[in-house]
Amino acid sequence: MAKAKTQVALVMGSDSDFPKLEGVVATFKEFGVGCEVRVMSAHRSPDAVAKFASGAEKRGLSVILAAAGGAAHLAGVIAGHTILPVIGIPIGGTALSGLDSLLSTVQMPAGIPVATVAVGSSGGTNAALLAVQILARSDAALAAKLRTYKKTMARKVAEKDRALQKKLN
Amino acid sequence: MAKAKTQVALVMGSDSDFPKLEGVVATFKEFGVGCEVRVMSAHRSPDAVAKFASGAEKRGLSVILAAAGGAAHLAGVIAGHTILPVIGIPIGGTALSGLDSLLSTVQMPAGIPVATVAVGSSGGTNAALLAVQILARSDAALAAKLRTYKKTMARKVAEKDRALQKKLN
Amino acid sequence: MAKAKTQVALVMGSDSDFPKLEGVVATFKEFGVGCEVRVMSAHRSPDAVAKFASGAEKRGLSVILAAAGGAAHLAGVIAGHTILPVIGIPIGGTALSGLDSLLSTVQMPAGIPVATVAVGSSGGTNAALLAVQILARSDAALAAKLRTYKKTMARKVAEKDRALQKKLN
Amino acid sequence: MAKAKTQVALVMGSDSDFPKLEGVVATFKEFGVGCEVRVMSAHRSPDAVAKFASGAEKRGLSVILAAAGGAAHLAGVIAGHTILPVIGIPIGGTALSGLDSLLSTVQMPAGIPVATVAVGSSGGTNAALLAVQILARSDAALAAKLRTYKKTMARKVAEKDRALQKKLN
Amino acid sequence: MAKAKTQVALVMGSDSDFPKLEGVVATFKEFGVGCEVRVMSAHRSPDAVAKFASGAEKRGLSVILAAAGGAAHLAGVIAGHTILPVIGIPIGGTALSGLDSLLSTVQMPAGIPVATVAVGSSGGTNAALLAVQILARSDAALAAKLRTYKKTMARKVAEKDRALQKKLN
Amino acid sequence: MAKAKTQVALVMGSDSDFPKLEGVVATFKEFGVGCEVRVMSAHRSPDAVAKFASGAEKRGLSVILAAAGGAAHLAGVIAGHTILPVIGIPIGGTALSGLDSLLSTVQMPAGIPVATVAVGSSGGTNAALLAVQILARSDAALAAKLRTYKKTMARKVAEKDRALQKKLN
Amino acid sequence: MAKAKTQVALVMGSDSDFPKLEGVVATFKEFGVGCEVRVMSAHRSPDAVAKFASGAEKRGLSVILAAAGGAAHLAGVIAGHTILPVIGIPIGGTALSGLDSLLSTVQMPAGIPVATVAVGSSGGTNAALLAVQILARSDAALAAKLRTYKKTMARKVAEKDRALQKKLN
Amino acid sequence: MAKAKTQVALVMGSDSDFPKLEGVVATFKEFGVGCEVRVMSAHRSPDAVAKFASGAEKRGLSVILAAAGGAAHLAGVIAGHTILPVIGIPIGGTALSGLDSLLSTVQMPAGIPVATVAVGSSGGTNAALLAVQILARSDAALAAKLRTYKKTMARKVAEKDRALQKKLN
């Protein structure tokens, strides 16, 4: 990932969430999108977050992914400081099974959107894909990769379909 | 809105949802973004949806907004047919208060993201703003408008703050 | 199951759900109902789903069972393409414990019913039984088997009742 | 509805639910399916329910629809007494917004399926449509009507789409 | 438990729930209340349930405890057939964590009460205690035992309080 | 209600809940059971509650009904002070629709049962009926009235059944 | 409220929430506690919030109350910038009935507490009372007022108790 | 902890909750705040609770922390007996995942606030920190420690940020 221009950032509230976010890093690697990964907390290091978010556009970032659990304010707070699209990844596995993370991330007031993805294992991967879709609006090569990715997905499902048929007959 | 190039589409599952989506249209008008508004149902007119979504990129659309309630499949189904970013607007006011709409929209499987916004009155406005943020990644004039919009919001809050202080003293 | 005429299909969004659907296959075997098992995704392979569902009636299928988790659109999307009865099996064990799967499956808009069964271990078996009940409307032999099945169930409960009494006394 | 052979029954736990079930009666009328409408309570008149359900098949019924709210046991209790397909309509508007009705109806144990439709305004109509779909398995005329109904739905959505376009331009 | 007059019955929908109901049996033993334990299903053996519940008062039972999970209809169905107090024990650990069991048990319509206790480990013990409290209304010896039980509970808490203090100092 | 011996008490946390509890008073009147109605708060007048509950048995009460909303502690607190059966009535219509009232009332720890009835309009009536069922264990006249009440209910449902049939034909 | 020293601040995310917060202002007035009322948004005016919260202690404030709805980040964000106790008031009446507001306010990560009060009409009053309780730790006059307040509450409940008794006899 | 003046008390409903409350004890130790730890039950030993809470202020306590699960009445009951700030810690891991504990603790009626913290692992630590924040209002040394604590938190997050960056490059 070293050489690709850093276009996106993944910010997480706690480094203990990193194992749940492998899909993000893997997906950006797959698409050749440069991603910086940061640990910052809306509550424990708010000034760092404000500084990061306010300067993100100037530093050349195009999309910010923010992952947090519980009273998950990180994505919303970042969105308050930037006009970049902010993608919120609600972290599950909390005492309330991530319902708290989901609602805290998605129910933003008018004026400050957070593009929220699923709580659960698909969230990270989909957040990265959404970022790639956004970048692809002005990057034809990425758009082509997305089309290939989509076709590959359909093909893999078809293969699994055939494999299961074979197994059952 | 007639003259602006149509860059985004708002698709709703039922025209009865249109009154809840005024924020979408008003916001695109405010930013001068051309938006086509469509009624299509993932269940009642699935072929129309598939055709629309599959052809959206070629027709020059950049972002698709999809609004639906209950078992809200529209955004997810559209996302299955396109590599454009799809923004899901869960419509509230269902028997289960929109919790069904929210979960049906946001909990997408890996591979097919839907950028979900809030269920409730802010959802439409934020969906449109998110689309503008995405478009602004390759449109400096839109980015400037977003910066102004953000400053205006902060100023308006400050004005309301002063007004309330005055009223209470 | 090879020789029985294929009257029903079980479609699942991901082959990883198959272990949770053993009750379906076992039940159809028990009743001698031919069942094809398919892997297709409403989002990853939407064209395959549309083709399958649109052609299902002509191919001689009478009932379709669709199992999916999270934003479980599969049953609804299939129902949009066919006049066959579609039975939705919400897959549990998601980050939100299958509440997302249940609501995404059952809360269908007017015009496109999905016959939804329980999220949890009983769902698969009951989906298959429901299909048998439907087939039995025009198959007296199946109806007879269902009557026997029902009596056997009652008898087994009575046996467990006696066994527990014996154990406790 | 007088002359059509009575093939289905709609049973409700309380006659106060009847206004929420107009979609059932209207839909059966539209398809020319004879429907008897009954008031019976799983708790207040359990013997009447048992007698009705046990004898339903012999009396020539093919499908039973059962509507109840709160601890909605009616559909499940009926299903315990018959091998006919039973469709459960959870009545909303309870203190807990129908979540109680939905879970009480759908979460049936293995062996006794209830085909559950949505809580909310679409539930009644979809329950009736599901019954028609079941009857249509052995009634080609009904199947033809269902195909027409489906096409009409798609056409109506397209008309609303055009109407909204016209209104907005 | 053999010699004590059988005054109460514990009915469960499935013998697999028995391990979760040990608190019931242990508590009745502790209070010397004769309890019969039965396996009967509101759905799989409805006639057995109706017969049991209708005859319970005549057979000398005073209180019935009914335990079930999921669409937990057992307590409600029994209550429909008897004027004895019926105590509902919602069994937890379902796909929806027992919320389905709780709502299906407690949300009974007017006319047919079910005295519902907690979903979770305390439910069984409390159901038995509630039965003892009811029996104690006409059994002074039982009332005395309840008073002792209550004092013992308070004393045990005080002992644990002292033990913890000691451990921490 | 003046002359009947006071056997039960209805305690409510706030007199504003009284209109929701009419079913209690009406039901006791119907059965000729003397009921005292009290306003006491587990939080605002805890000493009054403790005094009332501790002395209830000696004053000749047999059952206590406690109604409260939100963090509904009243029934549980009363149960902590008495060996009488305590029936909890969760008051609905709170910001969280009575889910808070229900869970606060029913989820009692082992040792202190609260017999909980439905949140919603049936709760009050059923709480009173449950109390009558308890009293009827040692009052044959009440038991007879309950049997009549049960038969009347069944008859009324049958009448409504006939009335609806007539109306529809 | 002009003359009392300003010890507390009530911050709300939107002035449209002010009518729901009358209990705050009335309670502080009753206790003679000086309160400034501010409109600031964690998302729309984040810099104003950061500046306010960071400087609150120096400006002589002792407790901060923060009220917000939906993805209610205000209290948490303020708490990130100050060592003063922060009381969170979740505003209800959202599309999801304030469950979103409650979870977003209360589920804070370790290190940054928010003292959360009820969603619903009691929240504002209780937030103010909690602030008074905190101030009373170093203000004997306030402590005395709280004791009087508590006694008055108990007396009022007793009066309502007597009034209801009188009305019913 | 022996020598520090006892300013706060941690009361838990059951000593089995103690392992979940280690954060409380550790945090008070870290800040040098003397804390007594007690086991008392609102339901099993209500008189002990009433006596403890009524006398807490006179015994020199300044803040009370109360931890309980399920129908968690402990904090509310204590708050009914004292004018001290009461902090409620909802214990998770119940059958209903602590949603019952949270709602029972936070949804207090007007007049009796409970300062509620998160259900889940952060709850205990945050309850202690909130108590320290309250004590710090009249203890400059504690306030200084809180400022240091806050800076240390921010620094630790920054260190983790750097560590992750290093690991990924």
Side-chain angles (χ1 to χ4, degrees):
Chain A
M1 224 156 46
K3 293 172 218 170
K5 189 189 150 208
T6 301
Q7 291 176 281
V8 297
L10 165 64
V11 188
M12 67 197 76
S14 164
D15 61 346
S16 63
D17 292 336
F18 190 58
K20 294 186 180 171
L21 296 164
E22 283 172 12
V24 178
V25 176
T27 304
F28 282 134
K29 201 169 247 174
E30 187 177 348
F31 280 90
V33 169
C35 170
E36 70 177 24
V37 182
R38 304 294 306 270
V39 182
M40 276 182 280
S41 162
H43 306 114
R44 285 176 248 190
S45 58
D47 296 329
V49 171
K51 195 179 158 191
F52 166 82
S54 308
E57 197 190 0
K58 284 221 172 139
R59 286 179 50 231
L61 292 175
S62 287
V63 184
I64 301 174
L65 286 70
H73 300 182
L74 187 58
V77 164
I78 289 175
H81 285 288
T82 183
I83 63 158
L84 296 179
V86 175
I87 300 173
I89 308 171
I91 298 289
T94 64
L96 297 173
S97 301
L99 186 66
D100 43 3
S101 319
L102 173 58
L103 300 184
S104 302
T105 302
V106 76
Q107 290 299 98
M108 291 293 291
I112 313 286
V114 165
T116 304
V117 294
V119 60
S121 60
S122 68
T125 302
N126 277 353
L129 279 174
L130 182 55
V132 174
Q133 289 177 335
I134 293 170
L135 295 172
R137 288 303 83 224
S138 51
D139 182 336
L142 269 187
K145 283 186 194 171
L146 279 169
R147 276 180 222 108
T148 304
Y149 181 92
K150 218 170 179 63
K151 277 176 203 154
T152 306
M153 270 199 302
R155 209 196 54 225
K156 279 185 189 167
V157 174
E159 285 168 8
K160 284 178 180 170
D161 186 29
R162 281 190 295 272
L164 188 63
Q165 310 268 20
K166 200 170 288 182
K167 184 180 142 191
L168 292 177
N169 289 318
Chain B
M1 224 157 45
K3 294 170 216 169
K5 187 189 148 207
T6 301
Q7 291 174 282
V8 298
L10 167 64
V11 188
M12 68 196 75
S14 163
D15 61 346
S16 64
D17 292 336
F18 190 58
K20 295 185 179 171
L21 296 164
E22 284 173 13
V24 177
V25 176
T27 303
F28 282 133
K29 200 169 248 175
E30 185 177 348
F31 280 91
V33 169
C35 171
E36 68 176 25
V37 181
R38 303 295 305 270
V39 182
M40 274 181 280
S41 161
H43 307 114
R44 284 176 250 190
S45 57
D47 296 329
V49 170
K51 195 179 159 193
F52 166 82
S54 307
E57 196 190 1
K58 284 223 172 135
R59 287 178 50 233
L61 291 175
S62 287
V63 185
I64 301 174
L65 286 70
H73 300 182
L74 187 59
V77 165
I78 289 176
H81 285 287
T82 183
I83 63 158
L84 295 181
V86 175
I87 300 173
I89 309 173
I91 297 289
T94 63
L96 296 173
S97 302
L99 185 66
D100 44 2
S101 319
L102 174 58
L103 299 185
S104 302
T105 302
V106 76
Q107 291 297 98
M108 292 293 290
I112 312 287
V114 165
T116 305
V117 295
V119 60
S121 61
S122 68
T125 302
N126 276 354
L129 279 173
L130 182 55
V132 174
Q133 289 177 336
I134 293 170
L135 295 173
R137 288 305 79 223
S138 51
D139 181 335
L142 268 187
K145 282 186 194 170
L146 278 169
R147 277 181 219 107
T148 305
Y149 181 91
K150 216 167 180 67
K151 279 177 201 152
T152 307
M153 270 198 304
R155 208 194 57 225
K156 278 185 190 165
V157 174
E159 284 169 8
K160 282 178 181 171
D161 185 30
R162 281 190 295 271
L164 187 63
Q165 309 267 20
K166 201 171 288 182
K167 184 180 142 191
L168 291 177
N169 288 317
Chain C
M1 220 158 47
K3 295 172 216 169
K5 188 188 149 207
T6 300
Q7 291 175 282
V8 298
L10 166 64
V11 187
M12 67 196 75
S14 165
D15 62 345
S16 63
D17 292 336
F18 190 57
K20 295 185 179 170
L21 296 164
E22 284 172 14
V24 177
V25 176
T27 303
F28 282 134
K29 201 169 248 176
E30 187 176 348
F31 281 90
V33 170
C35 170
E36 69 177 24
V37 181
R38 305 294 305 270
V39 182
M40 276 182 278
S41 161
H43 306 113
R44 284 177 249 190
S45 57
D47 296 330
V49 172
K51 195 179 158 191
F52 166 82
S54 308
E57 196 190 1
K58 284 222 172 138
R59 287 179 48 233
L61 292 174
S62 288
V63 185
I64 301 173
L65 286 70
H73 300 183
L74 186 58
V77 164
I78 289 176
H81 285 287
T82 183
I83 63 158
L84 295 180
V86 176
I87 301 174
I89 308 172
I91 297 289
T94 64
L96 297 173
S97 301
L99 185 65
D100 43 4
S101 319
L102 174 58
L103 300 185
S104 301
T105 302
V106 76
Q107 291 298 100
M108 291 293 290
I112 312 288
V114 166
T116 305
V117 295
V119 60
S121 60
S122 67
T125 301
N126 277 353
L129 280 174
L130 182 55
V132 174
Q133 289 177 335
I134 292 170
L135 296 173
R137 288 303 82 222
S138 51
D139 181 336
L142 268 187
K145 283 187 196 171
L146 278 169
R147 276 180 222 111
T148 304
Y149 182 90
K150 216 168 181 66
K151 278 176 203 155
T152 306
M153 270 201 301
R155 208 195 54 225
K156 280 186 189 166
V157 174
E159 284 168 7
K160 285 177 181 172
D161 185 29
R162 280 190 296 272
L164 188 63
Q165 309 268 20
K166 200 170 290 182
K167 183 179 143 192
L168 292 177
N169 289 319
Chain D
M1 223 158 43
K3 292 172 221 170
K5 187 189 147 206
T6 300
Q7 292 175 281
V8 298
L10 166 64
V11 188
M12 67 196 76
S14 163
D15 62 345
S16 63
D17 292 336
F18 189 58
K20 294 185 180 171
L21 296 164
E22 285 173 12
V24 177
V25 176
T27 303
F28 282 133
K29 201 169 248 176
E30 186 176 349
F31 280 90
V33 170
C35 171
E36 69 176 23
V37 181
R38 305 293 306 269
V39 182
M40 274 181 280
S41 162
H43 307 112
R44 285 177 248 191
S45 57
D47 296 329
V49 171
K51 196 180 158 190
F52 165 82
S54 308
E57 197 191 2
K58 284 223 172 138
R59 287 179 49 232
L61 291 174
S62 288
V63 186
I64 301 174
L65 286 70
H73 300 182
L74 187 58
V77 164
I78 288 175
H81 285 286
T82 182
I83 63 158
L84 295 181
V86 176
I87 300 174
I89 309 172
I91 297 288
T94 64
L96 297 173
S97 302
L99 185 65
D100 43 4
S101 319
L102 173 59
L103 300 184
S104 301
T105 302
V106 76
Q107 290 298 97
M108 291 293 289
I112 313 287
V114 166
T116 305
V117 294
V119 59
S121 59
S122 68
T125 302
N126 276 354
L129 280 173
L130 182 55
V132 174
Q133 289 178 336
I134 292 170
L135 295 173
R137 287 305 80 224
S138 51
D139 182 336
L142 268 187
K145 283 186 194 171
L146 279 168
R147 277 180 221 109
T148 305
Y149 182 90
K150 216 168 181 65
K151 278 177 202 151
T152 307
M153 271 200 302
R155 208 194 56 223
K156 279 185 190 166
V157 174
E159 284 168 8
K160 283 178 183 171
D161 185 30
R162 282 190 294 272
L164 187 62
Q165 309 267 22
K166 200 171 290 182
K167 184 181 142 190
L168 292 177
N169 289 319
Chain E
M1 222 156 48
K3 293 172 219 169
K5 188 188 148 207
T6 300
Q7 292 176 283
V8 298
L10 166 64
V11 188
M12 67 196 75
S14 164
D15 62 345
S16 63
D17 292 336
F18 190 57
K20 294 185 179 172
L21 296 164
E22 285 173 13
V24 176
V25 176
T27 303
F28 282 133
K29 200 169 248 175
E30 186 177 348
F31 280 91
V33 169
C35 171
E36 69 177 23
V37 181
R38 304 294 305 271
V39 181
M40 274 182 280
S41 162
H43 307 113
R44 285 176 249 190
S45 57
D47 296 329
V49 171
K51 195 181 158 190
F52 166 81
S54 307
E57 197 191 2
K58 284 223 173 138
R59 287 180 50 233
L61 291 174
S62 287
V63 185
I64 301 174
L65 286 71
H73 300 183
L74 186 58
V77 165
I78 289 176
H81 285 287
T82 182
I83 63 158
L84 295 180
V86 175
I87 300 175
I89 309 173
I91 297 289
T94 63
L96 297 173
S97 301
L99 185 65
D100 43 3
S101 319
L102 174 58
L103 300 184
S104 301
T105 303
V106 76
Q107 291 298 99
M108 291 292 291
I112 313 287
V114 165
T116 305
V117 295
V119 60
S121 60
S122 68
T125 302
N126 276 353
L129 280 173
L130 182 55
V132 174
Q133 289 177 336
I134 292 170
L135 296 172
R137 288 304 81 225
S138 52
D139 182 336
L142 267 188
K145 282 185 195 171
L146 279 168
R147 277 180 221 109
T148 304
Y149 181 91
K150 218 169 178 66
K151 277 176 202 153
T152 306
M153 270 199 303
R155 208 195 55 225
K156 279 185 188 165
V157 174
E159 284 168 9
K160 284 178 181 170
D161 185 29
R162 280 190 295 272
L164 187 63
Q165 309 267 19
K166 201 171 289 183
K167 183 180 142 191
L168 292 177
N169 289 319
Chain F
M1 223 158 45
K3 291 171 221 171
K5 189 188 148 207
T6 301
Q7 291 175 282
V8 297
L10 166 64
V11 188
M12 67 196 76
S14 164
D15 62 346
S16 64
D17 292 336
F18 190 58
K20 294 185 180 171
L21 296 164
E22 284 173 13
V24 178
V25 176
T27 303
F28 283 134
K29 201 169 248 176
E30 185 176 349
F31 281 90
V33 169
C35 171
E36 69 177 25
V37 181
R38 305 294 305 269
V39 182
M40 273 182 281
S41 162
H43 306 114
R44 285 177 249 191
S45 58
D47 296 329
V49 171
K51 196 180 158 192
F52 166 82
S54 307
E57 196 191 1
K58 284 222 173 136
R59 287 179 49 232
L61 291 175
S62 287
V63 185
I64 301 174
L65 286 70
H73 300 183
L74 187 57
V77 164
I78 288 176
H81 286 286
T82 183
I83 62 158
L84 296 180
V86 176
I87 300 173
I89 309 172
I91 297 289
T94 64
L96 297 173
S97 302
L99 185 66
D100 43 3
S101 319
L102 173 59
L103 299 185
S104 302
T105 302
V106 77
Q107 290 298 97
M108 292 293 291
I112 312 287
V114 165
T116 304
V117 294
V119 60
S121 60
S122 68
T125 302
N126 277 354
L129 280 174
L130 182 55
V132 174
Q133 288 177 336
I134 293 171
L135 295 172
R137 289 302 82 223
S138 51
D139 181 337
L142 268 187
K145 283 186 194 171
L146 279 169
R147 277 181 220 109
T148 305
Y149 182 90
K150 217 167 180 66
K151 278 177 202 153
T152 307
M153 270 198 304
R155 209 195 54 225
K156 279 186 189 166
V157 174
E159 284 168 9
K160 284 179 180 170
D161 185 30
R162 281 190 294 272
L164 188 62
Q165 309 267 22
K166 200 171 288 183
K167 185 179 141 192
L168 291 177
N169 288 320
Chain G
M1 223 157 45
K3 292 170 219 170
K5 187 188 149 207
T6 300
Q7 291 175 283
V8 296
L10 166 64
V11 188
M12 68 196 75
S14 163
D15 61 346
S16 63
D17 292 335
F18 191 57
K20 294 186 180 171
L21 295 164
E22 284 173 13
V24 178
V25 175
T27 303
F28 282 135
K29 201 169 247 174
E30 186 177 349
F31 280 90
V33 170
C35 171
E36 69 177 25
V37 181
R38 304 295 304 270
V39 181
M40 275 182 281
S41 162
H43 306 114
R44 286 176 248 190
S45 58
D47 296 329
V49 171
K51 195 180 159 192
F52 166 82
S54 307
E57 196 191 2
K58 284 223 172 136
R59 286 178 52 231
L61 291 175
S62 288
V63 185
I64 301 175
L65 286 69
H73 299 183
L74 187 58
V77 165
I78 289 176
H81 285 287
T82 182
I83 63 159
L84 296 180
V86 175
I87 300 172
I89 309 172
I91 297 289
T94 63
L96 296 173
S97 301
L99 185 66
D100 44 3
S101 319
L102 174 59
L103 300 185
S104 302
T105 302
V106 76
Q107 291 298 97
M108 292 292 290
I112 312 287
V114 165
T116 304
V117 295
V119 60
S121 60
S122 68
T125 301
N126 276 354
L129 279 173
L130 182 56
V132 174
Q133 289 177 336
I134 292 171
L135 295 172
R137 288 304 81 223
S138 51
D139 182 337
L142 268 187
K145 283 187 194 171
L146 278 169
R147 276 181 221 108
T148 304
Y149 181 91
K150 217 169 179 65
K151 278 177 201 151
T152 306
M153 270 198 303
R155 210 195 53 226
K156 279 186 189 164
V157 174
E159 284 169 9
K160 284 179 180 170
D161 185 29
R162 281 191 294 273
L164 187 62
Q165 309 267 20
K166 201 171 286 182
K167 186 180 140 191
L168 291 178
N169 287 320
Chain H
M1 220 157 47
K3 293 173 219 169
K5 188 189 149 207
T6 301
Q7 291 175 282
V8 298
L10 166 64
V11 188
M12 67 197 75
S14 164
D15 61 345
S16 63
D17 292 335
F18 190 58
K20 294 186 179 171
L21 296 164
E22 284 173 12
V24 177
V25 176
T27 303
F28 282 134
K29 201 168 247 176
E30 186 177 349
F31 280 91
V33 170
C35 170
E36 68 177 25
V37 181
R38 304 295 306 270
V39 181
M40 275 182 281
S41 161
H43 306 115
R44 285 177 249 190
S45 58
D47 296 328
V49 171
K51 196 180 159 192
F52 166 81
S54 307
E57 195 190 2
K58 284 223 172 136
R59 286 179 51 232
L61 292 175
S62 287
V63 185
I64 300 173
L65 286 70
H73 299 182
L74 187 59
V77 164
I78 289 176
H81 285 288
T82 183
I83 63 159
L84 295 180
V86 175
I87 301 174
I89 309 172
I91 298 289
T94 64
L96 297 172
S97 301
L99 185 66
D100 44 2
S101 318
L102 173 59
L103 299 184
S104 301
T105 303
V106 76
Q107 290 298 99
M108 292 291 292
I112 312 287
V114 165
T116 304
V117 294
V119 60
S121 60
S122 68
T125 302
N126 277 353
L129 280 174
L130 182 55
V132 174
Q133 289 178 335
I134 293 171
L135 295 173
R137 289 303 82 224
S138 51
D139 182 335
L142 268 187
K145 282 185 195 171
L146 279 169
R147 277 180 221 110
T148 304
Y149 181 92
K150 218 170 178 66
K151 277 176 200 151
T152 306
M153 271 198 304
R155 207 195 56 226
K156 279 185 189 166
V157 174
E159 285 168 9
K160 284 178 181 170
D161 186 30
R162 281 190 296 273
L164 188 62
Q165 309 266 20
K166 201 171 289 181
K167 184 180 141 190
L168 292 177
N169 289 317

